[in-house]
Amino acid sequence: MKILVTGGLGFIGSHLVGRLLQEGHTVICLDNGYTGREENVQAHRDNPAFRLLWHDVAEPLPPELEKAGIEQIYHLACPASPPHYQADPIRTIRTGVWGTYHLLELAQKTGSRFLLASTSEVYGDPQVHPQPEDYWGHVNPIGPRACYDESKRLAETLTFDWQRQHQTEIRVARIFNTYGPAMREDDGRVVSNFIVQALRGDPLTVYGDGSQTRSFCYISDLIEGLVRLMNSPYPGPFNLGNPQEFTILELAQQVLALTGSPSPIVHRPLPTDDPKQRRPDIRKARTLLGWDPQIPLQVGLELTIPYFRRRLGLE
Ligand code: UDP
């Protein structure tokens, strides 16, 4: 198949591009390089089945894409780490909303199947735990996280309306915290921050008292879920995440133990509207997609730490 991946230079996007090429598909990777990095797809540069197109999804798409024979679109393009999406919130909204609009238009024109990379952030600071897909969420519409949360919520709305109005084939994945190789060392999210801090011997910065929870999914499990969802008959939404839940303090201790780092733990102020708890209810994905994450946190961290060691030039 010919497949378009937006955000294909990013952490998740580049793993997806690799997987699709491995399966024998032709892949167009569309990215503006805002948070993605070309080195993430370096291995495919000379592969004739791979093409990189520099473009910002918030702008109208190059018309040539309408004649490129695209059959599936994975729409991942959007900065996703709080420091990155909050650095220019208006731009984040343009990317989240107009980006999705443009890609849905392309899906309609080409008759492609469209998969939206949505997020657990649609649940906000959830009052239902764990979060099932039929929970409508608890989002502060005017807080610093809203530019991301609300634009992803509107992106979901647009996607379902496009299906209702134009019969476009849609798939919606709600992606929970994911980690692994190819993350930026300055990504700003907790797993990369803690590993980089531990390897450098810097203090691990726990925001608040560290009792807030997250559930961390290793990248290969997430990619498997995205591909299964795209090729399933179900529009979703589907939660894709690992339901094993940890406090942030437990994560810090685990990273210290696995790196053997002497770094201390320091506490920093809790960011505004930081969700107190998060854990996916994945019964729907288990039942309908036959998907279940295989990599527990410790194994995933053991696979990720050597990558950061290399990136930081420590070996
Ligand atoms: N966090 C932390 N120290 C850091 C980065 C993040 O304690 O250096 C906390 C953050 O406050 C949140 C959790 O870790 O409670 C997950 O944050 P992240 O930015 O990775 O993702 P998100 O909040 O979007 O789930």
Side-chain angles (χ1 to χ4, degrees):
M1 260 189 281
K2 191 144 191 190
I3 303 179
L4 175 65
V5 178
T6 75
L9 296 184
F11 160 52
I12 295 176
S14 60
H15 282 276
L16 180 63
V17 166
R19 161 81 182 252
L20 297 173
L21 287 171
Q22 203 179 22
E23 286 179 357
H25 301 294
T26 299
V27 177
I28 303 176
C29 164
L30 187 147
D31 206 298
N32 67 348
Y34 185 57
T35 55
R37 294 192 288 207
E38 199 171 355
E39 62 189 271
N40 286 343
V41 297
Q42 203 63 24
H44 318 307
R45 221 187 36 185
D46 299 325
N47 185 339
F50 173 76
R51 187 174 154 216
L52 174 56
L53 194 60
W54 293 98
H55 188 82
D56 183 341
V57 292
E59 303 300 329
L61 297 172
E64 57 170 296
L65 282 176
E66 290 169 29
K67 297 182 189 67
I70 295 163
E71 292 157 89
Q72 293 187 339
I73 299 171
Y74 288 87
H75 177 43
L76 274 59
C78 191
S81 172
H84 292 151
Y85 72 64
Q86 289 173 19
D88 189 346
I90 296 170
R91 181 173 184 174
T92 299
I93 295 168
R94 278 174 48 77
T95 304
V97 178
W98 280 111
T100 304
Y101 183 97
H102 291 139
L103 271 304
L104 279 164
E105 233 175 13
L106 181 68
Q108 183 191 348
K109 284 181 183 158
T110 56
S112 310
R113 187 176 288 181
F114 173 88
L115 184 146
L116 173 69
S118 185
T119 170
S120 57
E121 297 282 343
V122 299
Y123 303 124
D125 189 4
Q127 293 170 314
V128 171
H129 193 74
Q131 295 81 54
E133 287 87 351
D134 56 9
Y135 175 48
W136 290 353
H138 182 230
V139 173
N140 173 5
I142 56 170
R145 298 178 80 95
C147 60
Y148 185 73
D149 303 8
E150 297 288 20
S151 62
K152 286 288 187 184
R153 287 169 66 96
L154 187 52
E156 286 199 14
T157 310
L158 261 181
T159 303
F160 277 89
D161 279 334
W162 226 282
Q163 178 191 46
R164 283 186 284 259
Q165 241 175 291
H166 301 299
Q167 292 72 51
T168 301
E169 273 196 81
I170 61 151
R171 304 288 182 268
V172 174
R174 291 183 179 155
I175 300 173
F176 284 63
N177 298 65
T178 302
Y179 67 99
M183 285 184 99
R184 298 171 64 109
E185 57 278 15
D186 61 352
D187 177 274
R189 275 173 293 191
V190 69
V191 174
S192 47
N193 272 10
F194 284 178
I195 294 176
V196 168
Q197 289 163 343
L199 293 178
R200 287 185 172 146
D202 294 338
L204 270 61
T205 53
V206 169
Y207 302 161
D209 64 5
S211 65
Q212 71 272 33
T213 68
R214 294 293 186 272
S215 307
F216 301 100
C217 188
Y218 188 65
I219 183 67
S220 58
D221 282 329
L222 180 80
I223 296 300
E224 180 65 29
L226 288 175
V227 171
R228 280 185 190 228
L229 169 56
M230 175 63 107
N231 296 294
S232 81
Y234 308 107
F238 282 92
N239 287 338
L240 295 181
N242 189 320
Q244 285 185 311
E245 182 181 3
F246 297 87
T247 68
I248 294 307
L249 206 51
E250 284 169 341
L251 175 71
Q253 282 153 355
Q254 173 112 233
V255 168
L256 288 178
L258 293 174
T259 52
S261 168
S263 292
I265 290 175
V266 295
H267 292 268
R268 294 280 176 265
L270 192 65
T272 307
D273 295 339
D274 199 270
K276 182 77 194 124
Q277 52 182 359
R278 183 181 294 151
R279 174 184 178 183
D281 178 335
I282 60 164
R283 280 175 297 181
K284 191 172 165 185
R286 272 195 186 122
T287 312
L288 296 179
L289 306 179
W291 177 77
D292 216 347
Q294 303 296 309
I295 312 276
L297 181 63
Q298 181 174 334
V299 176
L301 291 174
E302 283 166 350
L303 293 166
T304 307
I305 289 165
Y307 156 78
F308 278 111
R309 245 189 246 285
R310 282 195 302 278
R311 270 215 76 83
L312 299 177
L314 297 174
E315 63 182 35

